[in-house]
Amino acid sequence: MTKTDTSGPQGVPPTPSHTVGPFYGYALPFRGGEDIAPLGHPDTVTVHGYVLDGEGDPLPDALVELWGPRPDGTVPQVDGSIRRDPATGVCPGRNGVEFTGWGRVQTDANGHWYARTLRPGARGRSAPYLSVCVFARGLLVHLFTRIYLPGDEAALAADPLLTRVGGRRDTLIAGDEGGSTYRFDIRLQGEGETVFLEFQ
C-alpha cells in the first residue's frame, strides 16, 4: 500500500469543497427552453443579456429560469409544452402551441442568454415583470430577481418593489433595444450588482 504525502497542498487530493460547482449542465437544460412564446404570437418579446461575476466576467455555465404571466396578467395553468418521444424518452423541444410562462436557458460560452416570451401583463399593484431564478457556479443557493420591461413609466414609478430599492432600481429594468428586444444583464456581485430578492 502506497502512502500519500499530505504534508503540503500538492499532496492532498481535492475534495468536493475545492470545486467551483454546483454544476447544472447535465440534466437541467433542455432543447427549446428559451422558446417560451408560441410560434408567431404577436406579443412576443426577446429578452437577452449576460450573467456576470463580481469582476464583470461572463459565466459560461449559468442557468437562467424565467416565469411570466400572459399579456393580460393572468398566470398560465396549462400542464406543459415539452414533447417527449415515447420510444426513446428524448425531449425534442416544445410543441410551439401552449404558453406555460416558464423557460430555462443555459448561458453560452460567452455567458450570454436569451429567451423569447410574451410581454407580461400587470398583476395587482406591480408593474409588469418577469420573475427570474439564477443558478451559477459557486452559488449553493439560487438567486431570485425580476426583469421589468420599460414602456409604462407611470407603472414603473408606482411599483412597490422599485420604489423600495431606490437608487438600485435600474438593475431591475431592462434596456429597450427596439424591435421588441430588451437587454438585461445579471451581475451577481460587485459594483452594479443586480437586486436579488429573498422569500420567507
Side-chain angles (χ1 to χ4, degrees), residues 69-93:
R70 294 183 184 94
D72 64 4
T74 59
V75 176
Q77 301 292 320
V78 297
D79 290 339
S81 63
I82 305 301
R83 296 173 297 145
R84 279 205 186 276
D85 184 309
T88 65
V90 172
C91 172

Side-chain angles (χ1 to χ4, degrees), residues 63-67 103 105 130-135 141-146 186:
L63 282 178
V64 177
E65 286 189 353
L66 300 168
W67 297 274
V105 187
L130 298 168
S131 295
V132 180
C133 181
V134 182
F135 301 78
V141 178
H142 41 273
L143 301 173
F144 296 96
T145 189
R146 289 180 178 179
I186 301 168

